[in-house]
Amino acid sequence: MFSDTTHYFRQAAERMGIGERVQRLLEKPKRTVKVEVAVELDSGDLAVFQGFRVQHNGARGPFKGGLRFHPTVDEDHSMALAALMTWKSAIVDIPYGGAKGGIDCDPNQLSPGELERVTRRFVSEIHEVIGPHKDIPAPDVNTNAQIMAWIMNEYSRINGYSPAVVTGKPVDLHGSPGREEATGLGVTFAIQRYLERKGLSIAERRYAIQGFGNVGSHLARHLHQRGGKVVAVSDVHAALHNPEGLDVPKLLEHMGARGTVKGFEGGDALPRDDLLYVDCDVLVPAALGGVFTQENARDVRAQLIVEAANGPTRPAADAIFNERGVDIIPDVLANAGGVIVSYFEWVQNIQQFRWELEDIRGKLDRFISGGCKTVFDLAERKKIPYRTAAYIVAIGRVGKATVLSGI
Ligand code: NAD
């Protein structure tokens, strides 16, 4: 996966005429930490997982990025996702560098007590490299506000009271209003800005969303509230299709009760991965990476892909989409809402002051829309894909900070 991120980085860096040595400096992570996370299971047995924290580039500020608890977590994934965070923070112009990490465990196989012990053990192994002005983790796949609360507590136990060490905390424990919906709402704003340029509105398009977790479910809710027709959704268990538009509030209720979209009666069941090929205008991958490949890119019928997930498009698929004239709003722009409101949470923690939800939503719109304007303008002026334009903006900003700081 790191090779995919590197591919997109080099594509832009070469267009900018950046030399091989500077490319190498900006491409590789600054630090990679790998730890053994040993815990006692409820059965009394010992389990040992591997934990990772990769810090990619800190020229523009402290490292920032999510923690993922998933069996696919490894050094390569963490490197790729850390680099994406560097570029993402630069594109929406917030003062952070990029990091990412996680543990190669499956939280569905762990009891709440085991999950807490795994989390605390991981923090005790990496606490020297994280901190409110060093590296600030956040939620990602299979991690949530409760896990962030344990991280804050464990870090504070070792280093003293430090709510700003992690973002995405519960609102009742130094979290920010609006953080949970932030990525889905940010994706909504990015879609809105794109459609406005085409003289269209959210209500005039049909949407299919892969993944109905934090990002996918909030996105569906915000699209629906603006009159958008969500015609298909999926999660790890099932896919649902209704060409007339799914009843999103009822689907969210079903999801709340069952924890899956499976069994919802307001739509027809589809084989899970067929969601990618349904008739829709906008397709939003909001699950894991590597979804679009050389094998399936020609079967996608949407005219716009919005990358809510990180790294959903392999380079071969990206080339096919470009050749077919399918627009892509890239991950480094589309899903930046999460890190933007994480930034707001961090600022509130440092100021010890609480902002209002409406204020946060307004500021989120401003940051995402600013990123969209810069990227869309450049892409249109140079007649290049949005992804290349986004990387050019990011590399320019990170490169400038690196040069100004002195190597
Ligand atoms: P999540 O764990 O809350 O949800 C993931 C969803 O994907 C679940 O509904 C799961 O069932 C589904 N899923 C998993 N495998 C699937 C498959 N093969 N087919 C269909 N659905 C599948 O995670 P999330 O926080 O919503 O993150 C989703 C994506 O968004 C990830 O790529 C993540 O890196 C990215 N992202 C998240 C945030 C954030 O703030 N949470 C910010 C930026 C980017």
Side-chain angles (χ1 to χ4, degrees):
M1 197 181 167
F2 185 60
S3 62
D4 288 7
T5 316
T6 303
H7 170 88
Y8 295 131
F9 165 81
R10 286 193 187 156
Q11 217 172 35
E14 273 156 28
R15 191 175 266 273
M16 295 168 82
I18 291 180
E20 183 62 30
R21 279 189 206 164
V22 178
Q23 280 194 37
R24 260 217 330 261
L25 177 74
L26 295 176
E27 184 182 295
K28 297 265 190 272
K30 189 177 159 74
R31 177 193 271 157
T32 300
V33 177
K34 183 171 156 193
V35 294
E36 300 298 312
V37 183
V39 289
E40 193 180 321
L41 299 175
D42 295 345
S43 61
D45 288 346
L46 181 74
V48 185
F49 302 104
Q50 281 199 325
F52 299 89
R53 188 68 181 167
V54 174
Q55 298 171 335
H56 178 255
N57 182 300
R60 286 173 44 89
F63 299 104
K64 182 90 189 85
L67 285 178
R68 184 176 287 202
F69 287 5
H70 195 274
T72 58
V73 168
D74 59 14
E75 189 172 331
D76 180 68
H77 270 77
S78 304
M79 278 166 63
L81 294 165
L84 288 180
M85 288 304 299
T86 299
W87 311 131
K88 192 179 301 181
S89 298
I91 290 163
V92 291
D93 208 5
I94 54 175
Y96 284 137
K100 204 81 174 195
I103 303 174
D104 66 353
C105 65
D106 181 356
N108 299 315
Q109 306 296 320
L110 298 173
S111 70
E114 290 169 342
L115 187 60
E116 179 173 351
R117 291 199 289 281
V118 166
T119 305
R120 288 185 184 276
R121 187 56 187 248
F122 180 56
V123 175
S124 76
E125 296 292 350
I126 66 158
H127 77 95
E128 281 164 359
V129 299
I130 62 172
H133 296 284
K134 274 190 201 167
D135 181 352
I136 307 124
D140 193 76
V141 175
N142 289 339
T143 54
N144 55 24
Q146 174 61 74
I147 293 175
M148 300 306 118
W150 290 330
I151 294 175
M152 173 194 143
N153 181 267
E154 188 65 22
Y155 182 87
S156 296
R157 211 179 50 76
I158 305 167
N159 295 285
Y161 173 70
S162 317
V165 67
V166 65
T167 58
K169 299 178 292 293
V171 177
D172 292 323
L173 192 72
H174 307 289
S176 175
R179 173 59 186 87
E180 212 174 293
E181 67 167 13
T183 307
L185 180 58
V187 174
T188 311
F189 289 143
I191 294 173
Q192 207 167 354
R193 298 290 95 84
Y194 170 91
L195 292 176
E196 273 166 14
R197 290 192 172 226
K198 310 281 171 193
L200 292 164
S201 70
I202 284 186
E204 290 167 279
R205 303 282 86 181
R206 297 162 306 148
Y207 305 83
I209 305 173
Q210 182 196 42
F212 210 66
N214 172 293
V215 178
S217 63
H218 284 291
L219 171 65
R221 180 167 62 85
H222 281 290
L223 290 173
H224 182 78
Q225 279 172 3
R226 288 160 178 76
K229 212 183 246 187
V230 179
V231 296
V233 298
S234 67
D235 66 12
V236 71
H237 304 292
L240 289 173
H241 182 221
N242 182 344
E244 299 309 315
L246 292 157
D247 184 336
V248 173
K250 284 217 173 102
L251 177 59
L252 289 167
E253 253 174 51
H254 174 94
M255 180 74 196
R258 305 271 190 91
T260 170
V261 302
K262 194 172 180 175
F264 181 66
E265 288 184 351
D268 299 325
L270 283 180
R272 188 189 69 190
D273 296 340
D274 285 6
L275 173 122
L276 302 175
Y277 319 121
V278 298
D279 184 19
C280 65
D281 304 303
V282 182
L283 175 57
V284 186
L288 296 173
V291 173
F292 301 117
T293 62
Q294 185 158 24
E295 285 69 45
N296 67 12
R298 290 190 193 282
D299 300 324
V300 169
R301 290 156 82 182
Q303 272 309 299
L304 172 66
I305 291 170
V306 185
E307 294 180 342
N310 282 310
T313 309
R314 307 292 319 266
D318 192 64
I320 294 170
F321 289 138
N322 287 337
E323 171 205 310
R324 289 182 50 211
V326 175
D327 279 341
I328 302 175
I329 305 181
D331 45 10
V332 283
L333 173 60
N335 70 31
V339 71
I340 292 169
V341 179
S342 272
Y343 166 54
F344 298 162
E345 181 176 331
W346 181 72
V347 171
Q348 290 172 80
N349 291 156
I350 289 170
Q351 296 179 335
Q352 301 196 19
F353 188 78
R354 170 67 61 84
W355 302 354
E356 301 296 326
L357 178 60
E358 283 318 305
D359 191 17
I360 286 166
R361 286 179 168 166
K363 286 187 166 74
L364 168 61
D365 189 3
R366 231 180 53 219
F367 275 77
I368 284 277
S369 299
C372 286
K373 180 166 172 24
T374 310
V375 169
F376 295 169
D377 282 352
L378 180 66
E380 283 164 22
R381 205 170 61 241
K382 299 258 184 201
K383 299 197 178 1
I384 53 176
Y386 296 132
R387 192 190 311 278
T388 311
Y391 273 82
I392 289 176
V393 171
I395 295 167
R397 288 180 177 165
V398 175
K400 210 174 275 173
T402 307
V403 170
L404 286 169
S405 305
I407 292 165

